[in-house]
């Protein structure tokens, strides 16, 4: 027996017990004739006391950091108690010990505040994983996993594995490919998600499926994306959108309860995609705070109509507004007393390349009811008041206005809103706000290719009342400039995203389940009949054998964990993550392979450049 107890287990009630512990040496402190050692394992830290009688053995076999040792002795009460750790009232008076294995000096300290930089910690991730901070994250991840599994199991979902070596399933990214030795010149793709498999399982009658599963997408790694990531992937048959929304908001609420002990009893807010874009400037709004965007002027089509034509701001001779495609405003509460320095700093902030604006106009809504603005020259106080009112500003607020091209301005205003929300303390880490964003456009227009692409994926169904529009109209876009006038640009999808504190944590849709409509969808995306058959013949075929109505959703498991753990980085919640260049620096992967492997695969490298 290596140990009778763990290093996190012993309490004052265990005093006088004979026990054996095993673990890693965290610290060694020598005080004259006696030596203290903090012994660590996954469960905690216990202080070991080595008396004088062990000095000779300690001299002969000195202990170092991260040595693995076993110690037997008696639990005794500590004179100097440590209230910070669970075992802090006791120590182990060691009678005998044994070094089970030595350790080289670790390249960084195994502590919460380690001295190791990111790269070093990743290279020695097996040591980094010993740190409490990282362990806590993995424990949280496991708690989320268990909570999800329990909930889904209780609701009759079956965990069914689907293959990793498959044929491409487009979800908008590039595939990772794997050469096949037995089929020279042919390749598998790693799944971007189990999408088509879970739909086939619905056809097979497994009406509630789930999997906590790896997905692979060969994307350029924008901040905090991983080439392989984990989804809680779910699908249900005989459901409408409402059934899915209810089932899965309850899943997330259950996870909140199990993992964070939060009772999220309120109904999850629902918002159309159009409202999200219009009021918050993006499709995953953080609704922990208001500060909605006021559209002073916009080219953006809402319900097919231009909503704000600019009558409030046009014609005052201020060219920036007069000539802009879009003018948007937000009201920052309580900021009317910003100094010149502060408004200048905000102006610099919006001019940063990531935000890309030319400048920032402000109106100070003074507490005494007067108005002061950077464009006083052009607008009377009455006009300024009218604009501030439109932005929902009250006395004491600062109205911030951006102008420019539609898309960029909307994005910038959305960023500015988030930034101000952060600066004003409205984005609290311990406050959780869920939101369903619904009714996304079914199609997006890809300018470079002059064709439609699926906004979600090609298996998403249109809203039932818009199926006709899809079937009865030719997808061809004759005039690229006027794609917004094509009936397809107004078709809404039976799709929904779940948003948590401004992050998309899940997304799904009610699927197409009729062959004819699925074929029409492929055609709408510019796929020829042969191409559709070649890529998706199996699915089209399956739809001919009694496919039930179905729909589903997938949650980004890593992201969900990081938000619940109060961290921006999903890497912190993955045991062995890749870095920003998609490398595993511990394994040094990817790497080249042996000539023999190339031979077996009958592949010859011909690297360009
Ligand atoms: N497969 C989809 C995705 O990965 C999710 C879904 O539609 O269920 O985004």
């Amino acid at each position: 027996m290596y140990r009778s107890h763990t290093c996190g287990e012993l309490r004052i009630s265990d005093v006088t017990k004979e026990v054996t512990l095993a673990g890693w040496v965290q610290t060694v402190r020598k005080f004259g004739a006696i030596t203290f050692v903090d012994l660590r394992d996954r469960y905690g830290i216990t202080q070991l006391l080595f008396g004088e009688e062990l000095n000779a053995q300690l001299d002969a076999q000195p202990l170092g950091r991260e040595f693995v040792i076993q110690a037997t002795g008696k639990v005794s009460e500590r004179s100097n108690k440590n209230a910070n750790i669970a075992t802090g009232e006791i120590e182990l008076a060691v009678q005998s010990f044994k070094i089970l294995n030595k350790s080289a000096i670790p390249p960084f300290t195994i502590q919460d505040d380690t001295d190791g930089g990111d790269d070093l910690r990743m290279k020695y991730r097996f040591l980094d994983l010993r740190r409490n901070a990282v362990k806590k994250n993995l424990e949280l991840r496991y708690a989320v996993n268990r909570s999800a599994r329990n909930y889904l199991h209780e609701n009759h979902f079956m965990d069914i594995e689907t293959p990793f070596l498959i044929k491409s399933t487009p979800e908008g990214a590039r595939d990772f490919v794997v050469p096949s030795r037995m089929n020279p010149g042919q390749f598998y793709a790693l799944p971007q998600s189990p999408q088509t498999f879970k739909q086939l399982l619905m056809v097979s009658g497994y009406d509630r499926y789930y999997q906590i599963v790896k997905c692979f997408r060969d994307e350029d790694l924008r901040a905090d994306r991983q080439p392989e990531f984990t989804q809680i992937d779910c699908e249900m048959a005989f459901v409408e959108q409402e059934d899915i929304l209810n089932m899965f908001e309850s899943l997330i609420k259950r996870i909140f309860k199990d993992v964070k002990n939060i009772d999220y009893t309120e109904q999850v807010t629902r918002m159309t995609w159009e409202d999200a874009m219009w009021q918050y400037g993006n499709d995953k709004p953080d609704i922990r705070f208001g500060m909605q965007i006021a559209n002073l002027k916009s080219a953006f089509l809402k319900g097919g109509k231009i909503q704000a034509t600019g009558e409030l701001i046009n014609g005052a001779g201020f060219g920036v507004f007069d000539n802009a495609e879009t003018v948007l405003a937000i009201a920052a509460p309580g900021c009317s007393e910003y100094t010149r320095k502060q408004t200048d700093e905000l102006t610099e902030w919006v001019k940063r390349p990531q935000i890309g604006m030319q400048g920032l106009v402000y109106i100070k809504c003074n507490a005494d009811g007067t108005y002061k603005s950077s464009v006083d020259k052009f607008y009377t106080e009455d006009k300024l008041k009218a604009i501030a009112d439109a932005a929902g500003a009250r006395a004491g607020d600062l109205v911030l206005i951006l102008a420019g091209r539609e898309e960029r301005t909307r994005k910038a205003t959305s960023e500015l809103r988030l930034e101000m929300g952060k600066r004003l303390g409205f984005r609290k880490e311990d406050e959780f706000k869920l939101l369903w964003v619904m009714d996304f456009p079914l199609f997006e227009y890809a300018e470079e290719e002059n064709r439609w692409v699926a906004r979600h994926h090609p298996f998403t169904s249109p809203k039932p009342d818009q199926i006709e529009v899809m079937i009865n109209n030719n997808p061809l876009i004759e005039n690229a400039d006027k794609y917004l006038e094509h009936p397809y640009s107004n078709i809404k999808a039976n799709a929904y995203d779940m948003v948590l504190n401004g992050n998309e944590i899940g997304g799904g849709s009610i699927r197409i389940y009729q062959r004819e409509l699925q074929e029409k969808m492929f055609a709408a995306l510019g796929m020829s009949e042969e191409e559709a058959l070649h890529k998706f013949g199996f699915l089209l075929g399956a739809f001919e054998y009694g496919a039930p109505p179905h729909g589903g959703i997938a949650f980004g498991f890593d992201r969900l964990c990081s938000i619940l753990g109060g961290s921006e980085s999903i890497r912190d919640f993955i045991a062995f993550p890749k870095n920003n260049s998609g490398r595993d620096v511990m394994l040094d992967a990817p790497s080249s392979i042996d000539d023999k492997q190339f031979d077996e695969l009958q592949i010859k490298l011909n690297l360009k450049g």
Side-chain angles (χ1 to χ4, degrees):
M1 177 191 69
Y2 276 110
R3 56 181 175 184
S4 62
H5 293 78
T6 70
C7 296
E9 203 176 344
L10 297 167
R11 301 285 182 275
I12 194 86
S13 53
D14 295 307
V15 164
T16 73
K17 273 190 197 155
E18 280 258 342
V19 303
T20 301
L21 300 182
W24 288 262
V25 172
Q26 171 94 15
T27 55
V28 181
R29 302 181 309 273
K30 208 164 161 46
F31 289 101
I34 56 171
T35 303
F36 290 106
V37 166
D38 280 348
L39 193 67
R40 183 193 67 235
D41 67 8
R42 184 184 140 195
Y43 307 92
I45 285 185
T46 301
Q47 177 164 288
L48 311 183
L49 169 69
F50 293 74
E52 207 174 344
E53 66 286 359
L54 291 169
N55 272 347
Q57 193 187 343
L58 278 176
D59 283 345
Q61 302 167 359
L63 302 180
R65 270 161 52 200
E66 301 308 311
F67 277 37
V68 187
I69 68 166
Q70 183 188 42
T72 299
K74 218 177 229 158
V75 182
S76 50
E77 183 169 359
R78 256 164 91 160
S79 50
N80 208 346
K81 299 204 168 56
N82 179 353
N84 295 326
I85 58 172
T87 63
E89 288 190 294
I90 57 97
E91 64 195 357
L92 182 67
V94 179
Q95 288 157 351
S96 66
F97 76 94
K98 194 164 141 190
I99 294 177
L100 299 175
N101 211 345
K102 290 186 182 173
S103 167
I105 295 172
F108 49 86
T109 56
I110 312 295
Q111 282 166 351
D112 283 5
D113 287 322
T114 179
D115 54 359
D118 227 32
D119 287 350
L120 198 61
R121 289 194 296 110
M122 288 306 141
K123 179 151 189 232
Y124 295 91
R125 183 66 165 171
F126 52 92
L127 292 178
D128 197 32
L129 287 168
R130 286 186 192 163
R131 292 169 55 235
N132 218 11
V134 187
K135 188 186 71 192
K136 274 208 191 115
N137 292 343
L138 290 191
E139 282 171 350
L140 180 134
R141 185 183 174 103
Y142 181 53
V144 177
N145 184 317
R146 238 176 27 228
S147 171
R149 284 188 190 283
N150 287 343
Y151 174 86
L152 292 166
H153 175 73
E154 285 157 25
N155 284 286
H156 309 288
F157 284 80
M158 242 171 106
D159 178 347
I160 304 177
E161 286 159 87
T162 51
F164 279 169
L165 295 176
I166 65 163
K167 187 153 134 173
S168 162
T169 49
E171 300 255 359
R174 230 171 274 120
D175 286 322
F176 279 104
V177 293
V178 180
S180 165
R181 181 186 54 82
M182 287 190 289
N183 305 276
Q186 295 188 322
F187 295 79
Y188 301 102
L190 299 180
Q192 294 185 28
S193 88
Q195 184 62 35
T196 47
F197 290 103
K198 65 175 175 176
Q199 292 192 241
L200 291 174
L201 286 169
M202 295 304 113
V203 181
S204 308
Y206 297 89
D207 62 346
R208 290 181 174 202
Y209 143 96
Y210 88 101
Q211 210 181 165
I212 298 187
V213 64
K214 274 287 167 70
C215 302
F216 306 86
R217 296 184 190 177
D218 186 6
E219 293 173 294
D220 291 334
L221 298 182
R222 279 191 264 132
D224 221 27
R225 285 240 180 124
Q226 289 278 307
E228 52 176 309
F229 59 97
T230 306
Q231 285 187 345
I232 308 176
D233 189 45
C234 309
E235 196 78 4
M236 299 170 83
F238 304 114
V239 283
E240 288 169 349
Q241 176 166 292
E242 192 64 29
D243 303 306
I244 303 250
L245 301 188
N246 289 331
M247 177 64 75
F248 293 102
E249 65 181 64
S250 296
L251 165 68
I252 299 300
K253 287 178 180 179
R254 169 71 171 269
I255 293 173
F256 279 170
K257 179 70 195 158
D258 288 350
V259 178
K260 304 289 288 184
N261 201 20
I262 292 171
D263 286 304
Y264 198 106
T265 46
E266 65 198 90
Q267 224 207 313
V268 173
T269 311
R270 296 180 184 186
M271 193 183 288
T272 63
W273 172 82
E274 250 169 30
D275 281 347
M277 295 302 291
W278 197 247
Q279 295 165 4
Y280 297 91
N282 70 62
D283 58 6
K284 45 180 168 39
D286 185 346
I287 55 163
R288 281 175 295 182
F289 65 107
M291 273 171 74
Q292 290 182 5
I293 296 174
N295 293 268
L296 301 176
K297 178 172 166 183
S298 176
F300 179 67
L301 294 171
K302 189 174 186 246
K305 287 193 202 83
I306 292 174
Q307 290 285 302
T309 49
E311 63 259 10
L312 256 184
I313 47 161
N314 277 354
F318 182 46
V320 174
F321 285 0
D322 286 348
N323 303 327
E325 194 174 79
T326 301
V327 181
L328 304 175
I330 53 171
C335 297
S336 68
E337 289 183 12
Y338 264 30
T339 58
R340 178 66 192 265
K341 197 166 156 219
Q342 281 173 298
T343 50
D344 282 354
E345 188 270 330
L346 270 183
T347 306
E348 286 314 308
W349 191 91
V350 301
K351 283 180 167 175
R352 295 180 326 155
Q354 306 94 298
I355 306 294
M357 289 282 99
Q358 303 277 319
L360 176 71
V361 169
Y362 65 82
I363 304 173
K364 291 177 172 177
C365 311
N366 298 323
D368 62 5
T370 59
Y371 294 84
K372 179 104 196 70
S373 167
S374 51
V375 288
D376 279 345
K377 262 206 285 195
F378 301 100
Y379 295 96
T380 62
E381 205 159 340
D382 281 352
K383 271 266 181 190
L384 292 177
K385 176 179 180 338
I387 298 170
D389 286 349
R394 298 204 217 135
D397 292 356
L398 176 70
V399 179
L400 301 169
I401 310 175
L402 294 175
R405 297 296 303 236
E406 173 75 34
E407 213 182 301
R408 174 176 289 195
T409 308
R410 200 163 287 282
K411 200 156 174 282
T413 312
S414 159
E415 294 293 332
L416 180 63
R417 173 183 171 272
L418 290 172
E419 175 68 17
M420 290 309 292
K422 188 163 101 195
R423 291 186 187 191
L424 296 171
F426 298 150
R427 304 180 70 192
K428 296 193 196 76
E429 213 178 73
D430 56 356
E431 187 187 345
F432 295 99
K433 272 272 182 224
L434 291 166
L435 168 73
W436 285 115
V437 178
M438 302 159 39
D439 303 355
F440 285 84
L442 186 64
F443 296 109
E444 258 169 15
Y445 172 67
E447 243 168 276
E448 326 75 60
E449 303 168 63
N450 188 31
R451 69 172 184 98
W452 300 105
V453 292
R455 188 167 198 294
H456 190 45
H457 52 55
F459 316 108
T460 296
S461 65
K463 291 263 164 219
D465 58 348
Q466 287 171 323
I467 292 179
E468 293 294 307
V469 183
M470 194 172 140
I471 296 202
N472 296 335
N473 283 287
N474 185 335
L476 268 188
I477 309 157
E478 268 152 30
N479 186 344
D481 285 340
K482 296 210 168 138
Y483 75 92
L484 277 174
E485 286 167 19
H486 191 287
Y488 272 30
S489 63
N490 277 328
I491 300 180
K492 294 288 185 289
N494 235 335
Y496 30 79
D497 274 2
M498 185 173 256
V499 175
L500 173 58
N501 294 359
N503 302 279
E504 183 201 323
I505 57 163
S509 58
I510 298 296
R511 323 298 184 190
I512 297 171
Y513 64 99
Q514 310 91 330
R515 178 169 184 143
E516 194 202 355
L517 188 58
Q518 188 65 68
E519 281 174 338
K520 181 79 192 178
M521 173 54 100
F522 290 143
L525 302 177
M527 240 186 250
S528 69
E529 253 171 71
E530 303 79 69
E531 196 183 349
L533 272 180
H534 171 70
K535 285 190 171 152
F536 297 109
F538 62 97
L539 189 71
L540 293 170
F543 283 175
E544 291 195 60
Y545 291 90
H550 61 284
I553 191 165
F555 291 95
F557 183 54
D558 313 287
R559 164 86 48 230
L560 179 60
C561 294
S562 78
I563 300 171
L564 292 174
S567 163
E568 305 249 303
S569 157
I570 64 170
R571 263 196 265 170
D572 293 350
F573 293 79
I574 298 173
F576 297 104
K578 307 226 174 349
N579 73 8
N580 276 345
S581 332
R583 296 199 69 83
D584 183 321
V585 290
M586 183 180 70
L587 302 179
D588 193 23
S591 58
S592 65
I593 54 173
D594 292 343
D595 287 344
K596 179 158 173 272
Q597 288 171 299
F598 279 119
D599 282 348
E600 282 172 350
L601 294 167
Q602 302 188 46
I603 285 178
K604 210 191 212 139
L605 274 192
N606 180 16
L607 292 179
K608 306 230 162 68

